Amino acid sequence: MPESLASKIRSLNDAFRLTFVGGRVMVTDGVTALPDAIKARALSTVRAFAEFNHENDPHGEHDFGSFEVAGQKFFWKIDYYDKSLDGGSEDPADPAVTTRVLTIMLASEY
């Protein structure tokens, strides 16, 4: 993937992850079942996540992370869908044709 395309996708992903605006945020049943204080900490941790490296971000898109809160390991992932959510986006760098979906889950649910 050309660096300029990865850079556009990274910027859009970072803006969405930091604000939760510009897409949909989903949590799994396991996360929903946690106490509110732990859920709140998990959401804050996703927003503040900055531990990107070649191992967890090989394409430079800032679309995945893992972390621990209260002894629970979490994953988060951003996927790119078309506007109708019927299939993948043809161009994740174009917000006019892309709906970003950020899913937060317990690692044990993966």
Side-chain angles (χ1 to χ4, degrees):
M1 174 179 306
E3 179 57 33
S4 61
L5 184 58
S7 178
K8 285 181 184 179
I9 292 170
R10 180 175 52 247
S11 292
L12 290 166
N13 286 348
D14 285 344
F16 172 43
R17 184 178 44 77
L18 290 168
T19 64
F20 295 160
V21 174
R24 295 188 182 193
V25 177
M26 310 296 290
V27 296
T28 59
D29 289 342
V31 174
T32 299
L34 295 171
D36 289 344
I38 294 175
K39 286 187 282 196
R41 284 179 50 203
L43 291 169
S44 294
T45 301
V46 169
R47 285 180 142 166
F49 190 87
E51 298 171 24
F52 298 103
N53 57 53
H54 184 69
E55 186 175 308
N56 69 11
D57 190 32
H59 302 291
E61 295 180 1
H62 292 188
D63 62 353
F64 173 83
S66 66
F67 60 92
E68 287 191 22
V69 168
Q72 296 275 354
K73 185 164 185 156
F74 292 80
F75 293 150
W76 63 266
K77 172 80 173 105
I78 297 174
D79 293 298
Y80 317 114
Y81 292 91
D82 61 22
K83 284 297 193 179
S84 64
L85 299 173
D86 288 329
S89 173
E90 292 182 20
D91 183 2
D94 183 355
V97 300
T98 303
T99 298
R100 283 176 160 66
V101 176
L102 186 150
T103 304
I104 303 167
M105 69 189 80
L106 296 173
S108 62
E109 295 177 292
Y110 182 71

